[in-house]
Amino acid sequence: MDGKWSVLATLRAGREQVQLGGSEGAIGAIRSLRAEVPAPVRDEAYFALMDTAMRTGEPASMAVLSRTREATLALFDAAIGQLAARLH
């Protein structure tokens, strides 16, 4: 990217990290982007993931971001879908 990261782009890049096996959980996937993505944007991505989990009735906790690979991919997909729908 050109140095301007959005939350949506960060979520997509984090999902790709999980998909490629670079990380199993969302925390590690987004943390792995720390060289490129500013801390406030990474924090917003974490909050977007927790917000998505809460909308499905799960408690807001960091444990939501440390799930198995498949559950993490599903959470990323849901968060990306939710955020993209708000933008359109």
Side-chain angles (χ1 to χ4, degrees):
M1 292 195 94
D2 64 354
K4 295 181 181 179
W5 281 85
S6 67
V7 174
L8 185 56
T10 302
L11 290 172
R12 287 179 175 154
R15 186 196 187 288
E16 185 175 339
Q17 287 293 316
V18 175
Q19 182 69 33
L20 296 174
S23 179
E24 186 168 296
I27 291 175
I30 293 175
R31 186 179 295 147
S32 72
L33 303 170
R34 69 182 168 268
E36 303 110 47
V37 182
V41 178
R42 290 192 320 268
D43 290 347
E44 289 177 33
Y46 292 131
F47 288 120
L49 289 167
M50 286 197 291
D51 181 61
T52 298
M54 286 180 11
R55 289 174 187 262
T56 63
E58 297 183 47
S61 78
M62 293 301 284
V64 167
L65 304 179
S66 300
R67 297 174 166 179
T68 64
R69 182 178 180 274
E70 293 305 317
T72 298
L73 287 171
L75 181 60
F76 269 110
D77 289 340
I80 289 167
Q82 225 173 50
L83 190 54
R86 288 185 207 159
L87 296 173
H88 293 288

